[in-house]
Amino acid sequence: METWMASELPEQNNTSEVASPKAKKQEFITLDALCEKFLTYGEPEEVETIRRAYHFAEEAHRGQYRKSGDPYITHPLAVAGILADLQLDATTLTAALLHDVVEDTRVTDEEVVRHFGAEVAALVDGVTKLKRIKFDSNEEQQAENMRKMFLAMAKDIRVLLIKLADRLHNMRTLRFQPNDKQLRTARETLEIFGPLAHRLGINTMKWELEDLALRYLNPHEYYRIVHLMAQKRQERERYVNEVIELLRDRLRALDIQAEVSGRAKHIYSVYRKMVGQGKDFSEIYDLFAVRIIVENIKDCYGVLGVVHTLWKPMPGRFKDYIAMPKANMYQSLHTTVVGPHGEPLEIQIRTWEMHQTAEFGIAAHWAYKEGEQRAEGKFAQKLAWFREVLEWQQDFRDAQEFMETLKLDLFSDEVFVFTPKGTVIELPAGSVPIDFAYRIHTDIGNRCIGAKVNGKIVPLDYRLRTGDIVEVLTSKHSYGPSRDWLKIVQSSQAKSKIRQWFKREKREENVARGKELVEKELVQRHRMDARAVMTPAYLADVLSKFNFAKEEDMFAAVGYGGLSAAQVATRLIERYKRDHQETNLDALELELRDRDKPTGSGIRVRGVDNLLIRFARCCNPVPGDEIMGFVTRGRGVSVHRVDCPNVVALRAEGNRVLEVEWATSADQAYHVELEVTALDRHGLVNEVMNAVAETKTDVTAVSARVDVKRVAHISVSVRIRNLEHLRAVVERMKRIKDIHSVRRVTQ
């Protein structure tokens, strides 16, 4: 394998693609080069099918061009080239060449079947997006495309491999897309496709996808790291060469055949360490690792002994992924030692077979020519997580909820715990004994009444840690799972099983509970008359939207947690408002008079007296902001800031816009929500609250979360008198150490 240093990547003013020197070569691969690459591992008689697929695709895409100006056929050809690097079979390369013909040309599924067979057609269909179906939002379309891909992948994992290669080439050529498309694609790549490549163990794809995504999402930090790594290149290479020569001499003396090489960390991993651990680049010493590849497992442990003889191992930094492989089949020994010059040095030790798996993941093992029996037998367990997705995705009626759960599962770290008999069970980080129980068996989860960890009874919300030995306590007389379990379990599998139990066992209770929750949502949150909104006609619309046959099915779903009451209420209100567009509007316009009077809310509305005034929550205006009024349907006048994103749509309905202004006598507080972004550290929230208190400002609510990059997002709701008061609060908060930004939230 070719090794490379991150400092070899291009400078910022270079327009070539990044992450690997191979990227530029692969972007413009030719048909002959593709066939030559395939012949290094494939059968000569299969080359004709690949050539035939290329000419078929070239004809179908004739006249189509990419944003770069290149003929469109260069894209499927590049995708096939990426898959050939993974040594995938001729059927996969054929489908890769044809993967866009059904979606973007007049070619039909039937034609693909006729010319290339049902197997190729099924792969092409699995990758094809659902463009011809109209969706309410981009999130819903993305979710349904992902669902379709997972369903196709359940039958053939090659669907996902083609999709990953497709995304990788699109990322390599993303510079030709408009800025908003670059950001959207890069974010989706970092949230979905990079983690998917990791789940499949294809590190060559994962690293490049992550680096390319970071280049567009945070170019300043990306190029800063590139230049800083370039500055240390000579020093690092001298150090690595010294370590490599020392290891080679010692291994030769012991007659151990090994290849020793240096591996630079990829840029995104350095960025994550800087953000997650709050370190400056100068504080990161392990910018590289030394990799040792040997012939067999016995030599792996022999080499480990040699390494620990040469240098002192750092406590807590040894990981044996050979005895306990990762879920994506990755195997290797990892140890960090105090190197020759006193700096931490990471060393990875593996066999050649393990190395192939580490680089190419499931693609290194998926031998299609050996038949489906091997795939179903040996590798089904390796795809356990994907099978789980197929189970729990059916519980989500809302596209956005499905995507958020998928991202959470993709990003979650793992913990490895043991059964009393020593079997290793992998769970998402943060899992509790209930997650463990459902991973063992559904019935064990449903009858769980307690748990022991390392021989001691623990509460069911105990967070499991790697190495724990877990024993589940069950009872035949158990009443089944509690609804509170849904709040503490971490794995989507456990949540899905719990929901299924409530769906099956307590249908009548779920129907009553669901209906009650929807009515409560309408009355308490939206101040609506539930009887007026929950009519058969309006409910029929909601049933159609969420694909339910009967009202009872929908209310049952709300009752067991498969659908939220807020989703149902929102749909009902939308339909109600469409049918009552003119209600109160005409009456309000008849009362308009040519006079200006304060309304008692600190707002003066031209021509209207004693009118209900409501400050829009999307922008939360305060005195000093430029504002405008908008006549709502049944809820008085809504006051917005003129720079509110919703104002553009409101101005289109000119007959409902009113002139409003701040009344000079107004002396009251107004709700404003601020979002603080900062580097996560201990005591940060307390410092933010103390800063607000110093400005004599009331806080009505505060919440905080930390994302996967270890960036803290703190939402603070405050009561503000005017714009000057708001600026004083923001300026005080910005003086806190590690605060990146403070912004006023506008939905």
Side-chain angles (χ1 to χ4, degrees):
M1 288 297 296
E2 180 180 359
T3 59
W4 52 275
M5 294 291 182
S7 56
E8 296 170 357
L9 301 182
E11 304 298 321
Q12 185 166 0
N13 59 1
N14 193 329
T15 57
S16 63
E17 288 300 331
V18 299
S20 166
K22 295 182 180 181
K24 191 172 182 180
K25 300 177 200 172
Q26 292 172 337
E27 188 177 328
F28 297 104
I29 190 172
T30 64
L31 174 61
D32 288 340
L34 174 66
C35 293
E36 288 175 13
K37 190 177 294 187
F38 174 76
L39 284 172
T40 61
Y41 65 89
E43 301 297 331
E45 58 267 23
E46 295 179 307
V47 171
E48 180 55 35
T49 302
I50 295 173
R51 289 186 175 276
R52 192 159 51 86
Y54 168 81
H55 292 300
F56 184 92
E58 183 184 38
E59 179 64 29
H61 290 296
R62 183 161 294 169
Q64 295 180 346
Y65 295 88
R66 306 198 82 212
K67 294 283 187 182
S68 62
D70 297 318
Y72 194 90
I73 189 61
T74 58
H75 170 62
L77 192 56
V79 172
I82 293 169
L83 295 171
D85 284 336
L86 300 179
Q87 299 192 353
L88 290 174
D89 62 325
T91 301
T92 308
L93 301 191
T94 300
L97 290 166
L98 301 170
H99 79 271
D100 276 336
V101 294
V102 175
E103 183 177 333
D104 294 331
T105 75
R106 295 181 178 180
V107 173
T108 64
D109 293 317
E110 290 75 18
E111 289 179 85
V112 177
V113 173
R114 187 166 63 251
H115 290 283
F116 299 98
E119 186 178 9
V120 170
L123 292 175
V124 172
D125 180 67
V127 182
T128 301
K129 295 177 183 175
L130 302 170
K131 276 188 173 180
R132 292 164 188 166
I133 301 175
K134 186 176 180 180
F135 296 96
D136 292 342
S137 65
N138 289 332
E139 291 81 6
E140 184 176 3
Q141 183 170 17
Q142 182 192 39
E144 293 304 332
N145 283 325
M146 291 300 295
R147 280 176 168 168
K148 181 175 185 286
M149 184 179 72
F150 272 100
L151 286 168
M153 185 203 67
K155 300 175 184 176
D156 199 324
I157 192 64
R158 292 175 293 181
V159 169
L160 184 52
L161 296 176
I162 295 171
K163 188 62 182 175
L164 285 171
D166 172 64
R167 176 52 60 101
L168 179 55
H169 184 251
N170 282 333
M171 288 299 297
R172 288 174 178 173
T173 56
L174 194 60
R175 63 186 180 275
F176 299 108
Q177 296 291 342
N179 186 62
D180 61 330
K181 178 70 176 295
Q182 289 179 354
L183 293 175
R184 187 168 64 250
T185 304
R187 188 172 296 109
E188 184 182 68
T189 298
L190 197 60
E191 293 177 347
I192 302 292
F193 291 96
L196 279 174
H198 172 69
R199 286 280 180 171
L200 291 178
I202 311 175
N203 286 319
T204 54
M205 279 191 179
K206 170 184 179 288
W207 294 336
E208 190 174 350
L209 286 169
E210 289 177 341
D211 283 354
L212 288 169
L214 179 63
R215 175 184 174 181
Y216 292 99
L217 291 174
N218 196 336
H220 174 76
E221 282 300 304
Y222 173 87
Y223 287 109
R224 176 171 169 262
I225 294 171
V226 168
H227 290 300
L228 288 171
M229 292 183 77
Q231 291 171 8
K232 287 195 171 186
R233 177 178 179 179
Q234 290 185 346
E235 174 188 340
R236 183 172 65 248
E237 287 181 343
R238 281 196 300 270
Y239 184 40
V240 171
N241 290 334
E242 179 183 346
V243 170
I244 289 174
E245 287 305 314
L246 188 56
L247 281 168
R248 284 175 177 166
D249 290 343
R250 187 61 60 92
L251 294 175
R252 272 196 296 266
L254 296 172
D255 199 26
I256 297 177
Q257 298 295 318
E259 178 179 297
V260 187
S261 60
R263 179 188 70 83
K265 285 198 179 279
H266 67 297
I267 298 168
Y268 182 68
S269 69
V270 175
Y271 171 77
R272 282 194 66 178
K273 181 166 286 191
M274 291 170 62
V275 174
Q277 299 179 12
K279 292 183 177 180
D280 186 70
F281 183 84
S282 61
E283 299 176 273
I284 299 177
Y285 297 103
D286 55 338
L287 292 171
F288 57 89
V290 171
R291 180 179 293 151
I292 305 172
I293 306 177
V294 296
E295 297 297 327
N296 53 57
I297 294 177
K298 178 177 69 70
D299 285 346
C300 287
Y301 291 97
V303 170
L304 178 67
V306 171
V307 170
H308 285 178
T309 302
L310 286 170
W311 302 293
K312 184 176 293 186
M314 296 180 67
R317 297 294 299 272
F318 170 66
K319 296 177 182 177
D320 189 344
Y321 293 120
I322 294 180
M324 205 156 55
K326 291 186 178 182
N328 60 12
M329 303 179 296
Y330 178 88
Q331 287 184 287
S332 187
L333 296 176
H334 288 198
T335 185
T336 301
V337 298
V338 180
H341 302 301
E343 294 182 349
L345 171 65
E346 182 183 340
I347 296 179
Q348 301 172 355
I349 308 166
R350 61 181 67 148
T351 67
W352 282 104
E353 183 180 355
M354 293 174 190
H355 180 64
Q356 286 293 104
T357 302
E359 294 295 299
F360 305 126
I362 202 165
H365 289 272
W366 202 266
Y368 298 98
K369 60 186 178 182
E370 297 185 22
E372 295 181 3
Q373 186 175 359
R374 174 176 177 180
E376 287 298 322
K378 183 175 179 181
F379 296 105
Q381 58 185 10
K382 304 298 184 185
L383 298 173
W385 179 80
F386 296 98
R387 309 287 184 188
E388 290 171 18
V389 171
L390 294 178
E391 292 180 13
W392 59 252
Q393 63 91 17
Q394 300 174 24
D395 291 334
F396 295 104
R397 301 282 177 170
D398 179 70
Q400 193 167 0
E401 188 180 2
F402 168 75
M403 290 307 299
E404 289 304 317
T405 305
L406 177 64
K407 292 172 188 176
L408 184 65
D409 266 30
L410 284 172
F411 267 122
S412 64
D413 293 324
E414 300 92 14
V415 294
F416 299 91
V417 297
F418 297 89
T419 68
K421 293 183 178 180
T423 303
V424 179
I425 303 295
E426 180 207 359
L427 294 167
S431 290
V432 298
I434 303 170
D435 292 288
F436 176 88
Y438 278 105
R439 182 59 57 89
I440 299 299
H441 196 279
T442 301
D443 286 341
I444 293 177
N446 289 339
R447 293 188 284 113
C448 174
I449 59 170
K452 287 183 179 180
V453 174
N454 303 325
K456 297 180 181 179
I457 293 179
V458 297
L460 288 177
D461 61 355
Y462 170 86
R463 300 294 175 183
L464 298 174
R465 292 174 291 186
T466 294
D468 283 344
I469 301 174
V470 187
E471 179 183 355
V472 180
L473 307 177
T474 62
S475 171
K476 293 181 180 179
H477 305 293
S478 167
Y479 291 107
S482 163
R483 293 188 188 278
D484 292 333
W485 289 7
L486 289 168
K487 300 174 184 177
I488 61 174
V489 294
Q490 187 69 21
S491 64
S492 298
Q493 180 194 27
K495 291 179 182 178
S496 176
K497 298 298 183 184
I498 294 168
R499 289 193 184 106
Q500 287 177 14
W501 188 89
F502 282 109
K503 182 179 180 179
R504 181 180 63 252
E505 299 292 333
K506 298 191 175 183
R507 178 174 171 79
E508 291 185 6
E509 178 185 325
N510 287 331
V511 172
R513 174 180 167 81
K515 190 172 183 179
E516 179 185 346
L517 288 172
V518 173
E519 290 176 347
K520 186 177 180 180
E521 180 78 11
L522 289 168
V523 174
Q524 295 187 4
R525 184 173 177 182
H526 296 281
R527 304 282 190 253
M528 302 291 287
D529 182 352
R531 288 175 299 178
V533 177
M534 295 175 66
T535 65
Y538 298 162
L539 286 170
D541 271 7
V542 182
L543 296 179
S544 175
K545 167 63 184 174
F546 294 113
N547 299 315
F548 287 105
K550 298 183 294 184
E551 291 179 19
E552 289 78 7
D553 295 337
M554 180 185 70
F555 287 131
V558 175
Y560 69 74
L563 184 67
S564 74
Q567 293 170 258
V568 176
T570 299
R571 291 288 174 181
L572 287 169
I573 292 170
E574 286 176 0
R575 172 61 195 275
Y576 177 86
K577 287 183 175 181
R578 283 202 302 269
D579 283 1
H580 295 76
Q581 286 184 6
E582 303 306 321
T583 302
N584 296 317
L585 179 59
D586 293 336
L588 183 60
E589 290 175 343
L590 290 173
E591 293 179 8
L592 292 180
R593 300 290 185 270
D594 192 16
R595 62 179 182 273
D596 295 335
K597 292 187 178 181
T599 63
S601 60
I603 295 293
R604 190 186 301 275
V605 182
R606 177 185 175 276
V608 182
D609 192 11
N610 296 325
L611 188 62
L612 175 64
I613 297 295
R614 183 171 59 89
F615 291 100
R617 292 183 179 179
C618 53
C619 56
N620 292 315
V622 299
D625 288 326
E626 292 186 54
I627 53 176
M628 61 167 286
F630 179 72
V631 180
T632 66
R633 300 177 176 117
R635 300 181 68 187
V637 174
S638 176
V639 178
H640 294 256
R641 286 166 30 205
V642 294
D643 60 349
C644 175
N646 293 325
V647 162
V648 175
L650 299 180
R651 288 189 186 278
E653 303 184 55
N655 63 323
R656 303 173 67 182
V657 175
L658 293 178
E659 294 181 15
V660 297
E661 62 184 7
W662 296 104
T664 55
S665 60
D667 184 19
Q668 62 184 76
Y670 300 83
H671 170 82
V672 172
E673 186 174 345
L674 300 173
E675 181 173 314
V676 181
T677 304
L679 184 66
D680 183 41
R681 59 177 172 80
H682 180 70
L684 178 64
V685 175
N686 286 337
E687 289 187 35
V688 171
M689 298 304 294
N690 290 335
V692 176
E694 287 179 18
T695 63
K696 294 183 171 56
T697 304
D698 292 332
V699 176
T700 59
V702 63
S703 64
R705 65 180 177 86
V706 180
D707 64 20
V708 293
K709 302 175 185 176
R710 304 304 301 170
V711 175
H713 301 270
I714 306 172
S715 295
V716 185
S717 297
V718 292
R719 301 289 289 172
I720 297 296
R721 295 184 299 277
N722 51 45
L723 201 56
E724 185 178 346
H725 181 197
L726 176 61
R727 287 173 182 150
V729 174
V730 171
E731 288 304 318
R732 176 63 188 87
M733 294 168 78
K734 284 183 176 179
R735 295 203 298 269
I736 300 173
K737 181 185 176 183
D738 295 328
I739 295 287
H740 297 327
S741 66
V742 181
R743 71 179 186 90
R744 185 175 174 183
V745 175
T746 301
Q747 297 177 352

